[in-house]
Amino acid sequence: MLNNVNNQNTKQWIGIAPFAQYTSKMYPLDQMQEVINVLQEHYIIFLFGGKADQAKLDTLAANSDAVINVAGLYNLNQELDLISNLDVMISMDSGNAHLAAMLGVKVITIWGVTHPYAGFAAFNQPKSYNITPDKMLYPKLPTSVYGNKYPEDYKNVAGSIQPKQITEKVTAVLNA
């Protein structure tokens, strides 16, 4: 599987961990597919998740040699080794953001009903790496510290973030 990467080793590596404990903290997968479609043209993308996420991640990786689903392929230590070699990790407000940050990787976090100012931003990352929904449209953010409580009309707040915002942030971070 990683043999394809060797042929493209001049491209930078991006990790994407699109899941979180609560769906209210997740970016919609159809929009994540749009992000991946743009980024795969210039980067190698590794998709991270648990065994239960494999089928969804396979769908995101379909039809591209530049997108590799690593869910369920490696043990934790091997995944951490891979993460430590990424140029950037895109993650929700989730454990993957924190693991990558602790390994010294640049981490772009996408926020839903939680907010980095509640104290759970990725360690030692610039505030500008946090992509949050518009507080003017969603003034009640954060609705809870963990993302388990929110008004019904805030359920898909992360989806208000446009894919272009994410791809532009990735490009800016990698070209800085």
Side-chain angles (χ1 to χ4, degrees):
M1 172 140 333
L2 292 181
N3 291 337
N4 292 339
V5 173
N6 292 333
N7 296 331
Q8 303 177 44
N9 63 4
T10 60
K11 292 185 176 183
Q12 291 175 297
W13 290 10
I14 297 174
I16 299 179
F19 301 105
Q21 181 176 5
Y22 300 107
T23 57
S24 61
K25 295 173 29 170
M26 289 174 34
Y27 194 61
L29 290 180
D30 60 326
Q31 288 176 272
M32 185 58 77
Q33 184 70 68
E34 292 180 46
V35 170
I36 290 168
N37 290 346
V38 171
L39 296 177
Q40 72 182 351
E41 297 297 321
H42 305 286
Y43 308 103
I44 301 296
I45 300 170
F46 295 92
L47 302 177
F48 293 87
K51 286 186 180 185
D53 306 318
Q54 280 180 306
K56 292 176 185 174
L57 293 173
D58 281 341
T59 300
L60 291 175
N63 305 317
S64 178
D65 289 337
V67 183
I68 302 162
N69 175 9
V70 297
L73 296 181
Y74 304 113
N75 65 37
L76 179 59
N77 286 334
Q78 292 168 321
E79 277 199 17
L80 291 173
D81 285 344
L82 177 57
I83 291 170
S84 72
N85 285 283
L86 297 173
D87 294 290
V88 70
M89 170 67 91
I90 302 168
S91 179
M92 307 307 103
D93 170 23
S94 70
N96 287 292
H98 302 292
L99 291 171
M102 294 304 289
L103 293 168
V105 175
K106 296 174 184 177
V107 179
I108 296 170
T109 48
I110 301 169
W111 296 78
V113 298
T114 56
H115 196 278
Y117 293 169
F120 292 99
F123 175 72
N124 208 27
Q125 300 293 313
K127 290 179 182 178
S128 64
Y129 288 11
N130 298 313
I131 303 175
T132 59
D134 185 336
K135 285 277 288 169
M136 297 300 286
L137 295 174
Y138 299 98
K140 297 176 186 173
L141 292 177
T143 62
S144 69
V145 173
Y146 300 108
N148 57 338
K149 297 176 184 175
Y150 51 87
E152 186 60 32
D153 57 338
Y154 277 54
K155 185 176 186 175
N156 297 313
V157 70
S160 68
I161 298 167
Q162 296 303 306
K164 186 174 181 179
Q165 287 177 263
I166 298 167
T167 58
E168 287 177 350
K169 178 62 70 180
V170 170
T171 301
V173 167
L174 289 175
N175 291 328

